[in-house]
């Protein structure tokens, strides 16, 4: 991964006269994190930081710059590498439970196994993210995308999403801020996926799973 020298300064130049808070509103990132990226270090720990592909997608939209150009300057893409779109098509998105995105690869988790695909040159990552949205995926953490069409059990107090009704198989733990944002969506998805009706309210002190009742019973 060969990043453009002075990449932080480059990001700052893209922001131009736009304030940090305005950039934060447009990108969905925090203004403090955007400034850390411009300085190329975490000001709390003084450690060097690099933006993930997901973060770069948000910045490309906010700054109106081609995503592939930003990925190239960040060191993720190499113009000389071949296109790997065909490799990506071998993975069935609809059968995938959740997806993890790292700086170098995409990992698809199915009920039986997991498949990793490298993020190579000219991979249209923007199109990939749009495709996830169309297939029912929601971003549940920095680099975690969950297919809500497969979630069958939601333990609210632990932030856990299971892909079986008994809650003994694969699961993911979602970020608290995403849990609050998608709480209603998650509960309705579980009700739909399991054939259950629902009544619920958002309760931070809930001691049981989200309130779900069979469709054939009065709500």
């Amino acid at each position: 991964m060969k990043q453009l020298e002075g990449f932080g300064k480059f990001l700052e130049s893209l922001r131009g006269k736009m304030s940090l808070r305005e950039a934060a509103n447009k990108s969905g990132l925090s203004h403090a994190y955007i400034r850390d990226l411009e300085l190329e270090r975490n000001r709390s720990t003084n450690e060097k930081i690099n933006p993930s592909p997901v973060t770069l997608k948000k910045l490309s939209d906010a700054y109106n710059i081609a995503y592939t150009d930003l990925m190239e300057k960040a060191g993720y893409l190499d113009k000389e590498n071949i296109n790997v779109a065909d490799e990506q098509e071998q993975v069935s998105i609809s059968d995938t439970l959740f997806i993890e995105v790292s700086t170098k690869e995409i990992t698809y988790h199915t009920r039986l196994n997991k498949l990793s695909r490298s993020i190579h040159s000219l991979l249209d990552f923007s199109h990939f993210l749009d495709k996830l949205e169309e297939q029912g995926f929601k971003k549940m953490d920095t680099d975690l995308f969950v297919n809500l069409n497969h979630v069958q059990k939601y333990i609210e107090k632990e932030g856990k999403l299971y892909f079986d009704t008994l809650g003994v198989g694969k699961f993911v733990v979602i970020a608290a801020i995403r849990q609050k944002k998608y709480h209603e969506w998650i509960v309705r998805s579980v009700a739909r996926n399991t054939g259950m009706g629902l009544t619920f309210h958002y309760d931070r002190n809930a001691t049981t799973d989200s309130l779900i009742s069979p469709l054939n019973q009065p709500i």
Side-chain angles (χ1 to χ4, degrees):
M1 178 175 172
K2 186 177 181 181
Q3 190 176 91
L4 172 72
E5 186 175 351
F7 183 68
K9 288 291 185 183
F10 173 70
L11 289 179
E12 187 174 7
S13 69
L14 290 178
R15 181 165 60 84
K17 295 182 179 179
M18 188 186 304
S19 70
L20 284 169
R21 292 194 179 278
E22 184 179 355
N25 288 334
K26 286 190 173 184
S27 66
L29 303 169
S30 73
H31 67 277
Y33 181 55
I34 292 175
R35 187 54 183 161
D36 283 352
L37 292 176
E38 294 175 351
L39 296 173
E40 298 186 38
R41 64 181 177 85
N42 184 314
R43 287 172 291 172
S44 298
T45 64
N46 206 35
E47 295 180 350
K48 182 175 176 60
I49 60 173
N50 294 307
S52 70
V54 174
T55 294
L56 292 173
K57 174 61 173 63
K58 292 180 177 181
L59 291 176
S60 73
D61 292 339
Y63 297 156
N64 194 27
I65 180 175
Y67 178 62
T68 51
D69 288 348
L70 202 54
M71 286 282 282
E72 180 187 341
K73 293 184 184 300
Y76 288 107
L77 298 183
D78 182 352
K79 284 184 176 180
E80 296 181 356
N81 289 341
I82 60 173
N83 195 312
V84 295
D86 291 340
E87 181 185 40
Q88 297 294 333
E89 291 302 320
Q90 296 175 11
V91 181
S92 174
I93 296 294
S94 61
D95 293 333
T96 301
L97 305 179
F98 61 97
I99 291 174
E100 293 177 297
V101 180
S102 70
T103 56
K104 294 184 179 180
E105 64 182 15
I106 300 170
T107 302
Y108 301 77
H109 294 260
T110 65
R111 293 190 182 280
L112 300 178
N113 55 21
K114 64 179 182 180
L115 302 171
S116 294
R117 295 290 183 262
S118 299
I119 298 178
H120 286 305
S121 64
L122 308 182
L123 172 63
D124 191 350
F125 199 68
S126 175
H127 175 70
F128 172 74
L129 294 181
D130 290 341
K131 187 175 181 180
L132 291 186
E133 183 75 20
E134 294 171 1
Q135 293 291 328
F137 284 78
K138 291 296 179 184
K139 183 179 180 182
M140 293 297 178
D141 211 332
T142 304
D143 298 317
L144 173 68
F145 296 82
V146 177
N147 189 343
L148 293 184
N149 292 323
H150 290 295
V151 176
Q152 297 187 42
K153 187 177 181 65
Y154 170 33
I155 301 182
E156 179 184 343
K157 61 182 178 180
E158 298 176 9
K160 290 182 178 180
L161 302 181
Y162 284 89
F163 303 96
D164 65 280
T165 55
L166 297 178
V168 296
K170 288 186 177 182
F171 70 90
V172 295
V173 179
I174 63 179
I177 190 171
R178 298 287 174 174
Q179 182 181 3
K180 184 175 181 179
K181 179 178 180 179
Y182 291 119
H183 176 80
E184 180 177 347
W185 207 318
I186 293 170
V187 173
R188 292 187 179 280
S189 295
V190 171
R192 182 187 67 243
N193 298 339
T194 58
M196 305 287 281
L198 59 89
T199 57
F200 69 93
H201 64 280
Y202 186 66
D203 184 354
R204 292 178 180 272
N205 299 314
T207 56
T208 60
D209 296 350
S210 303
L211 303 178
I212 300 176
S213 58
L215 285 172
N216 59 359
Q217 291 185 6
I219 296 179

